[in-house]
C-alpha cells in the first residue's frame, strides 16, 4: 500500500506540473534552450561543413586537418599557387586546378583511410614527380609514409600506396639520391634513433640500410655543401621553452656517416618563433644556401620562415632571415592553409623553373579538443544558470538538514574532543548562515521590481549566449566553410555582380562576405551608373575589379570579359546574402555538369499563355524548368558568347528596352542550344538567403505584380523567338538531397 501511495500516475504528474508554476518554468526554460540552440544551428552552424559520421577517413583529429598544395615560380623565392598558373583538368571540370592538390581524401578513396596528409617531399625523375608524405592512418592513429605520382607537373596526382609502414609513428620522409641509390630518412623518434632506408623497388619497397644516429632526432634534413654532408635536426627530448625551439647540426663525408656534432650545438634552444625546427629541404639558389624553418610561436607549425645561410663550417654557423616570397593566406579557416603552413620542399625542374610542395592546415594544433572543451563548458554553464533560476523560483530545492553533520554513533564522550567534531560544528554554523542568506536572497529576487526583472533578463541573455557557444563548438565541425572536391580536385570561380552608385553599401557587405569563401578567385563588379569606387575601398581577401560600363543596361551582366581567368562564373545579385557553404555546394554541382546553369532560385514556367510565377508555384508543381541568373553558376565561355551572339540580338534589344528579363533570355538561349531531352538547369537549395535590398529604398523590383507582368510579357516574346523551355525537372532528384 505504501508503494502504491508513493507512486504517481502520468495523469497525476501532468496535473501536478500544471499546478506548479515553478515546474512549468523549468520545462519552459528547457524548451526555450532547445529552440534557441536550434535557431542558432539553422542560421549559423548549418553553414559549416560537418564531418561525415560514417566516413572511414578524414575524421576530426587533434593534430589538425593538414593538406598539401603545389606552387610554381621562376625562383624559389617567388612562388605562386597552382591556381594562378592556369593549369586545368577537364576531367574534373577544374578550370583552373586549385590547391590543395592532396588531402586526406586522396589515400582514403584509394583504400587507405587517413585523417590528414603532411610533410611533403618531392623526388623528381625527368618529367615524373613522386611525392612522399606523412599520412595519419585512421585505424592505428599513427603516421605512415604514403607516395603519389604526377605525370603533368603536379596538376593531378595518383596515389600509389604506402611506401613505408613501421610499428611506430613515421613522418618527414626526406628522400634523396646518392651513388645511384635512392634513400629515405623519415622521422621515427619513438624508436629513439635516426634511421636510413634504401629503395629496393622504387617507390613502394624499402629496406633498412642503417641507423645513422642513436638519438630521437626529428625533422632531419641533409644537404651536400663544400665537401661535406650536413645534417640539420632537432632533439625531441627537449621540453619547456626548448621544445620546437632547438636546432642541431651534424656533419660527415658521406650521408651514410659517421656523423660528428657541430661545435656550436645546439644552434638554437629557447625561442620557438625563430624557426629553429626544420620546415623542409634545404636548397641552393644562385650560389647561396637556404634553410626553411618552422615558426612555432602561438601554435605548432604556425608558418614557414626562410633563412639564408651566410656561414657553415665545422666551427661556425650563421643564418639571416629572408622573405619567403609566398603570399600569406587571408581567408582564415576558409583557406586550406589559413591557420598554419609548416613545411616546404622546393626543387628545380629540368625545364629550369621551380616547383614547391607545401602543407597547410585550416585549424590550429589541438583545435578539435579545444572546441569540445569550450562546447561542454558552455553547455554546463547554461544548465547551471537554468538550475540557479529554478532554485530562486522554487522549482529546485536544496536543503541539507543539520542532522547531516551529526555522527551516526556516539559511543563515548571522546568523540566531542576530536577535531572532526569541532569541524562538523563549524560547518553546521556556516551552513546555517549560508542557508539564511540564500533564503533572504531568494525572497528579494522574487519581489516584483524592475531591478529584479532586469537581473533575470541579463541572466537569460547569458544563458542564451552559453547555449549558442555550446551549439557552435559542439555542432559546427571545425568552424570552416570548406570547398568541395570533384574527382579529387579543387577549383575556383569568379563572382560577377552588377550594381550602381545608390547601392554601394550593399556592395561593400557583399564583397566583405563573399571574398572569404574558399573557392572565390576574383570579384568583378559591373558598374552600370554613377561614379565608381576604387578597388581598395572594399574589405576583400581577393582582387576586386570594377568594370565601368558605357551605358546602363542589364545586358552588361553577361558581357564577354577576357580578363576573367576561370571558366566558372557565379552571377550573383549584390543584394543576396547566403552562406559560403551554399555557394560551394552550387559550385560542386556545376562542376558535375558544366553545360548546365546551376542556381538557387527555381521557377516553373507553364500555362497557355506562359505565366511568370514565384517559387511557391514551382514547389506546388514539384518541379522547375528555369533558374534565375541573379544567383547562378554558368560556363562563362559558353554563356557569355551565346548571349552576345547574333541570334540573341533581338532578345538583347528587348531586355535593354524593358530593363528586365536578362535572366529569362539566358534560360531560353540555353534551352535553344541543347538537344530536346538535355537538361539545361539544376537547382541547389540554400540553407538560407537574405535579400538586403529590403532594408533600403533601392530595390529594383518593389512592385511585385508589375514586375511579374513585365516578365510574363518577356516569356511570350522569347518563346516566339527561341522556342519553348524544357517541361519540368523535379525537386529531390539528387542523392545528397541538395535540391530538395
Amino acid at each position: 500500500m505504501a508503494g502504491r501511495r508513493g507512486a504517481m500516475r502520468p495523469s497525476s504528474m501532468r496535473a501536478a506540473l500544471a499546478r506548479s508554476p515553478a515546474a512549468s518554468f523549468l520545462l519552459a526554460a528547457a524548451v526555450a534552450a532547445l529552440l534557441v540552440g536550434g535557431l542558432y544551428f539553422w542560421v549559423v552552424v548549418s553553414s559549416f561543413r560537418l564531418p561525415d559520421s560514417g566516413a572511414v577517413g578524414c575524421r576530426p583529429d587533434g593534430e589538425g586537418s593538414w593538406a598539401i598544395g603545389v606552387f610554381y615560380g621562376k625562383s624559389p623565392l617567388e612562388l605562386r599557387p597552382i591556381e594562378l598558373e592556369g593549369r586545368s583538368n577537364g576531367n574534373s571540370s577544374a578550370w583552373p586546378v586549385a590547391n590543395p592538390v592532396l588531402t586526406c581524401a586522396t589515400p582514403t578513396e584509394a583504400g587507405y583511410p587517413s585523417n590528414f596528409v603532411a610533410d611533403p617531399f618531392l623526388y623528381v625523375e625527368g618529367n615524373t614527380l613522386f611525392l612522399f608524405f606523412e599520412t595519419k592512418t585512421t585505424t592505428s592513429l599513427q603516421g605512415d609514409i604514403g607516395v603519389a605520382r604526377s605525370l603533368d607537373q603536379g596538376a593531378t596526382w595518383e596515389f600509389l600506396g604506402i611506401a613505408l609502414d613501421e610499428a611506430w609513428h613515421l613522418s618527414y620522409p626526406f628522400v634523396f639520391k646518392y651513388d645511384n641509390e635512392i634513400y629515405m630518412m623519415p622521422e621515427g623518434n619513438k624508436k629513439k634513433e635516426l634511421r636510413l632506408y634504401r629503395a629496393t623497388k622504387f617507390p613502394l619497397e624499402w629496406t633498412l640500410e642503417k641507423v645513422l644516429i642513436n638519438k630521437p632526432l626529428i625533422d632531419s634534413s641533409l644537404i651536400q655543401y663544400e665537401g661535406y654532408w650536413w645534417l640539420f635536426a632537432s632533439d625531441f627530448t627537449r621540453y619547456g621553452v626548448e621544445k620546437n625551439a632547438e636546432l642541431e647540426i651534424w656533419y660527415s663525408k658521406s650521408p651514410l656517416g659517421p656523423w660528428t656534432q657541430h661545435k656550436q650545438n645546439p644552434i638554437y634552444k629557447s625561442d620557438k618563433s625563430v624557426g629553429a625546427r626544420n620546415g623542409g629541404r634545404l636548397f641552393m639558389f644562385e650560389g647561396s644556401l637556404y634553410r626553411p624553418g618552422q615558426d612555432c610561436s602561438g601554435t605548432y607549425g604556425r608558418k614557414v620562415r626562410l633563412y639564408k645561410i651566410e656561414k657553415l663550417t665545422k666551427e661556425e654557423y650563421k643564418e639571416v632571415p629572408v622573405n619567403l616570397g609566398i603570399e600569406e593566406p587571408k581567408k582564415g579557416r576558409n583557406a586550406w592553409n589559413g591557420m598554419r603552413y609548416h613545411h616546404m620542399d622546393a626543387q628545380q625542374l629540368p625545364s629550369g623553373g621551380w616547383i614547391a610542395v607545401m602543407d597547410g592546415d585550416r585549424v590550429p594544433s589541438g583545435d578539435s579538443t579545444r572546441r569540445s572543451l569550450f562546447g561542454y563548458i558552455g553547455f554546463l554553464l547554461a544548465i547551471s544558470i537554468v538550475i540557479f533560476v529554478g532554485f530562486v523560483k522554487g522549482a529546485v530545492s536544496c536543503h541539507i538538514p543539520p542532522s547531516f553533520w551529526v555522527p551516526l554513533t556516539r559511543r563515548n564522550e571522546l568523540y566531542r574532543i576530536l577535531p572532526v567534531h569541532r569541524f562538523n560544528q563549524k560547518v553546521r554554523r556556516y551552513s546555517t548562515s549560508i542557508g539564511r542568506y540564500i533564503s533572504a536572497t531568494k525572497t528579494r529576487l522574487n519581489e516584483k521590481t524592475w531591478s529584479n526583472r532586469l537581473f533575470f533578463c541579463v541572466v537569460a541573455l547569458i544563458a542564451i549566449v552559453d547555449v549558442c557557444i555550446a551549439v557552435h563548438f559542439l555542432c559546427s565541425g571545425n568552424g570552416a566553410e570548406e570547398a568541395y572536391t570533384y574527382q579529387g580536385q579543387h577549383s575556383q570561380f569568379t563572382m560577377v555582380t552588377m550594381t550602381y552608385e545608390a547601392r554601394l553599401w550593399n556592395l561593400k557587405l557583399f564583397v566583405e562576405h563573399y571574398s572569404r569563401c574558399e573557392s572565390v578567385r576574383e570579384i568583378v563588379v559591373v558598374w552600370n551608373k554613377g561614379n565608381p569606387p576604387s578597388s581598395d575601398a572594399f574589405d576583400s581577401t581577393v582582387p576586386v575589379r570594377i568594370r565601368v560600363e558605357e551605358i546602363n543596361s542589364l545586358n552588361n551582366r553577361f558581357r564577354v570579359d577576357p580578363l576573367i581567368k576561370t571558366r566558372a562564373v557565379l552571377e550573383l545579385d549584390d543584394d543576396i546574402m547566403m552562406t559560403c557553404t551554399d555557394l560551394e555546394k552550387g559550385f560542386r554541382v556545376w562542376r558535375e555538369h558544366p553545360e548546365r546553369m546551376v542556381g538557387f532560385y527555381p521557377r516553373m514556367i507553364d500555362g497557355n499563355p506562359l505565366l511568370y510565377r514565384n517559387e511557391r508555384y514551382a514547389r506546388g508543381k514539384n518541379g522547375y524548368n528555369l533558374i534565375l541568373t541573379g544567383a547562378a553558376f554558368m560556363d562563362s565561355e559558353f554563356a557569355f558568347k551565346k548571349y552576345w551572339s547574333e541570334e540573341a540580338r533581338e532578345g538583347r534589344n528587348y531586355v535593354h528596352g524593358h530593363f528586365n528579363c536578362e535572366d529569362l533570355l539566358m534560360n531560353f538561349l540555353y534551352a535553344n542550344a541543347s538537344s530536346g531531352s538535355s537538361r539545361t538547369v539544376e537547382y541547389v537549395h540554400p540553407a538560407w538567403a537574405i535579400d538586403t535590398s529590403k532594408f533600403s529604398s533601392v530595390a529594383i523590383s518593389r512592385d511585385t505584380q508589375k514586375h511579374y507582368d513585365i516578365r510574363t510579357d518577356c516569356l511570350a516574346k522569347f518563346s516566339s523567338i527561341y522556342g519553348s523551355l524544357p517541361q519540368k525537372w523535379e525537386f529531390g532528384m539528387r542523392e545528397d538531397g541538395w535540391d530538395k
Side-chain angles (χ1 to χ4, degrees):
M1 292 296 291
R4 290 184 181 180
R5 285 194 299 269
M8 182 178 287
R9 296 176 182 176
S11 58
S12 302
M13 291 176 65
R14 288 193 294 270
L17 187 63
R19 291 192 300 268
S20 171
S24 299
F25 164 79
L26 276 184
L27 179 62
V31 172
L34 290 174
L35 289 176
V36 169
L39 179 63
Y40 184 80
F41 183 90
W42 177 65
V43 174
V44 179
V45 176
S46 62
S47 66
F48 299 123
R49 182 177 174 182
L50 305 180
D52 183 0
S53 58
V56 294
C58 299
R59 305 295 301 149
D61 195 294
E63 289 190 72
S65 57
W66 295 94
I68 297 172
V70 177
F71 296 74
Y72 303 91
K74 296 180 180 179
S75 155
L77 307 181
E78 297 177 359
L79 296 169
R80 304 200 319 160
I82 189 172
E83 55 265 24
L84 299 184
E85 294 296 304
R87 296 171 188 260
S88 302
N89 181 17
N91 294 329
S92 60
S93 305
W95 302 294
V97 173
N99 279 328
V101 296
L102 264 79
T103 67
C104 57
T106 307
T108 298
E109 292 173 358
Y112 301 89
S114 171
N115 282 354
F116 64 77
V117 292
D119 292 354
F121 280 99
L122 283 169
Y123 184 82
V124 181
E125 194 173 75
N127 292 321
T128 302
L129 303 178
F130 293 93
L131 183 63
F132 294 84
F133 52 90
E134 173 195 351
T135 170
K136 186 170 183 181
T137 308
T138 302
T139 52
S140 65
L141 294 181
Q142 74 175 24
D144 296 331
I145 305 303
V147 59
R149 177 178 60 193
S150 175
L151 303 176
D152 55 7
Q153 300 292 288
T156 60
W157 294 88
E158 174 192 7
F159 183 75
L160 300 179
I162 300 298
L164 193 59
D165 180 8
E166 295 283 18
W168 54 89
H169 174 84
L170 295 174
S171 61
Y172 206 85
F174 185 89
V175 180
F176 66 100
K177 191 170 187 178
Y178 174 70
D179 277 355
N180 295 320
E181 298 283 359
I182 302 175
Y183 294 94
M184 182 197 301
M185 186 177 63
E187 175 197 319
N189 68 81
K190 299 295 183 183
K191 195 67 175 173
K192 300 187 183 304
E193 56 191 22
L194 181 61
R195 291 184 158 206
L196 184 68
Y197 296 80
R198 176 173 50 84
T200 56
K201 191 174 181 181
F202 185 82
L204 288 174
E205 295 182 13
W206 301 77
T207 186
L208 176 63
E209 181 71 10
K210 67 179 301 184
V211 174
L212 296 180
I213 300 175
N214 285 301
K215 193 174 184 181
L217 296 177
I218 57 175
D219 296 353
S220 304
S221 294
L222 288 171
I223 186 72
Q224 188 176 18
Y225 180 72
E226 294 188 351
Y228 286 92
W229 283 83
W230 301 87
L231 173 65
F232 290 72
S234 298
D235 185 353
F236 190 69
T237 61
R238 302 284 180 168
Y239 59 92
V241 296
E242 295 184 13
K243 186 177 182 180
N244 296 327
E246 195 255 10
L247 175 66
E248 297 180 6
I249 300 177
W250 302 63
Y251 61 90
S252 173
K253 282 290 186 178
S254 163
L256 305 181
W259 292 92
T260 304
Q261 287 205 51
H262 194 279
K263 287 189 176 181
Q264 288 185 207
N265 276 352
I267 306 300
Y268 301 118
K269 65 174 183 178
S270 61
D271 189 348
K272 297 181 181 182
S273 68
V274 300
R277 184 168 175 172
N278 284 328
R281 189 189 304 268
L282 287 79
F283 60 87
M284 295 289 298
F285 177 65
E286 294 183 346
S288 296
L289 181 59
Y290 294 85
R291 184 185 72 88
Q294 297 183 46
D295 177 350
C296 292
S297 60
T299 184
Y300 165 69
R302 188 173 72 88
K303 64 187 297 184
V304 172
R305 291 188 180 274
L306 190 61
Y307 294 89
K308 181 178 180 180
I309 298 176
E310 294 188 336
K311 181 167 287 190
L312 176 57
T313 69
K314 291 186 287 184
E315 294 80 21
E316 294 183 84
Y317 180 77
K318 182 182 179 182
E319 64 182 12
V320 294
V322 295
N323 185 24
L324 182 61
I326 294 177
E327 186 177 358
E328 290 280 341
K330 300 176 181 177
K331 297 186 180 183
R333 288 177 184 253
N334 286 359
W336 68 278
N337 59 347
M339 298 301 290
R340 299 188 287 173
Y341 55 98
H342 80 335
H343 182 101
M344 178 182 78
D345 183 14
Q347 296 197 39
Q348 193 167 21
L349 296 169
S351 62
W354 285 76
I355 184 172
V357 287
M358 296 184 69
D359 61 11
D361 195 356
R362 63 179 76 246
V363 298
S365 180
D367 183 72
S368 60
T369 303
R370 192 179 302 110
R371 294 180 72 82
S372 296
L373 179 62
F374 288 165
Y376 287 123
I377 289 175
F379 182 69
L380 290 174
L381 287 175
I383 292 177
S384 301
I385 290 174
V386 171
I387 293 175
F388 166 74
V389 176
F391 178 71
V392 170
K393 293 296 183 181
V396 177
S397 61
C398 180
H399 176 66
I400 301 176
S403 60
F404 178 83
W405 305 104
V406 178
L408 297 177
T409 179
R410 296 183 179 179
R411 295 183 179 178
N412 51 58
E413 292 299 316
L414 180 63
Y415 179 82
R416 293 184 175 275
I417 63 175
L418 293 178
V420 66
H421 175 68
R422 292 194 294 272
F423 173 76
N424 281 345
Q425 284 185 324
K426 289 182 180 180
V427 171
R428 290 175 64 185
R429 286 198 299 270
Y430 288 140
S431 62
T432 302
S433 300
I434 292 172
R436 293 195 191 101
Y437 177 77
I438 291 174
S439 240
T441 302
K442 286 174 62 175
T443 302
R444 285 197 300 271
L445 289 176
N446 278 308
E447 295 175 358
K448 295 182 179 180
T449 63
W450 282 108
S451 59
N452 282 347
R453 292 190 181 100
L454 178 61
F455 172 77
F456 283 111
C457 285
V458 172
V459 169
L461 181 61
I462 294 174
I464 289 172
V465 171
D466 287 334
V467 169
C468 293
I469 288 173
V471 171
H472 180 84
F473 284 107
L474 293 177
C475 304
S476 63
N478 61 11
E481 297 179 280
E482 297 183 44
Y484 291 85
T485 61
Y486 177 60
Q487 301 290 347
Q489 289 195 302
H490 289 82
S491 188
Q492 291 184 326
F493 61 87
T494 301
M495 294 189 69
V496 177
T497 189
M498 187 166 60
T499 191
Y500 61 101
E501 194 172 35
R503 296 165 67 93
L504 183 58
W505 76 274
N506 265 45
L507 181 63
K508 288 185 175 181
L509 289 175
F510 178 98
V511 170
E512 181 179 358
H513 173 64
Y514 289 118
S515 72
R516 271 73 181 175
C517 299
E518 183 167 7
S519 297
V520 174
R521 162 77 172 269
E522 179 190 30
I523 297 177
V524 177
V525 178
V526 180
W527 194 262
N528 258 3
K529 185 175 67 175
N531 296 320
S534 62
S535 297
D536 57 8
F538 302 96
D539 177 9
S540 177
T541 66
V542 300
V544 177
R545 178 161 57 91
I546 311 296
R547 197 179 77 200
V548 181
E549 301 292 345
E550 295 181 359
I551 59 173
N552 184 13
S553 173
L554 294 183
N555 291 323
N556 293 332
R557 178 193 294 272
F558 304 122
R559 187 175 297 281
V560 176
D561 188 342
L563 296 181
I564 291 178
K565 302 301 182 184
T566 65
R567 281 276 292 275
V569 164
L570 172 62
E571 292 279 354
L572 189 63
D573 289 346
D574 66 335
D575 53 10
I576 294 177
M577 298 295 287
M578 61 179 70
T579 69
C580 287
T581 295
D582 286 330
L583 263 58
E584 299 292 357
K585 287 180 179 179
F587 185 38
R588 170 66 165 76
V589 172
W590 178 86
R591 290 180 64 193
E592 295 174 8
H593 299 283
E595 73 281 1
R596 299 176 184 172
M597 277 196 300
V598 175
F600 304 93
Y601 291 92
R603 295 292 186 267
M604 184 65 213
I605 306 300
D606 61 3
N608 189 13
L610 297 176
L611 293 177
Y612 183 84
R613 302 178 177 93
N614 59 20
E615 184 176 341
R616 190 179 300 111
Y617 178 78
R619 292 289 178 182
K621 289 286 188 176
N622 191 33
Y624 60 96
N625 57 0
L626 183 143
I627 289 291
L628 299 186
T629 62
F633 286 91
M634 60 191 70
D635 182 348
S636 61
E637 291 190 5
F638 168 79
F640 293 177
K641 290 177 181 177
K642 189 71 176 176
Y643 193 89
W644 287 91
S645 64
E646 185 60 32
E647 65 179 299
R649 179 186 294 274
E650 186 175 354
R652 291 199 308 274
N653 291 338
Y654 191 88
V655 167
H656 182 67
H658 291 77
F659 209 78
N660 206 323
C661 304
E662 80 287 357
D663 52 345
L664 304 185
L665 175 58
M666 182 64 84
N667 276 268
F668 274 96
L669 293 174
Y670 259 79
N672 179 261
S674 67
S675 58
S677 60
S678 296
R679 185 171 182 175
T680 59
V681 295
E682 189 164 354
Y683 166 68
V684 174
H685 178 70
W688 51 263
I690 299 174
D691 183 355
T692 59
S693 69
K694 303 300 183 184
F695 306 111
S696 71
S697 58
V698 294
I700 294 176
S701 51
R702 280 191 167 274
D703 189 336
T704 302
Q705 189 56 52
K706 182 179 179 181
H707 177 64
Y708 279 24
D709 290 343
I710 294 174
R711 293 171 79 79
T712 294
D713 294 339
C714 292
L715 292 173
K717 178 67 174 179
F718 295 155
S719 61
S720 68
I721 303 173
Y722 304 108
S724 61
L725 291 169
Q727 291 301 308
K728 182 175 74 171
W729 299 100
E730 293 184 356
F731 295 104
M733 296 178 65
R734 292 183 59 87
E735 292 184 2
D736 53 32
W738 289 355
D739 61 339
K740 290 183 178 179

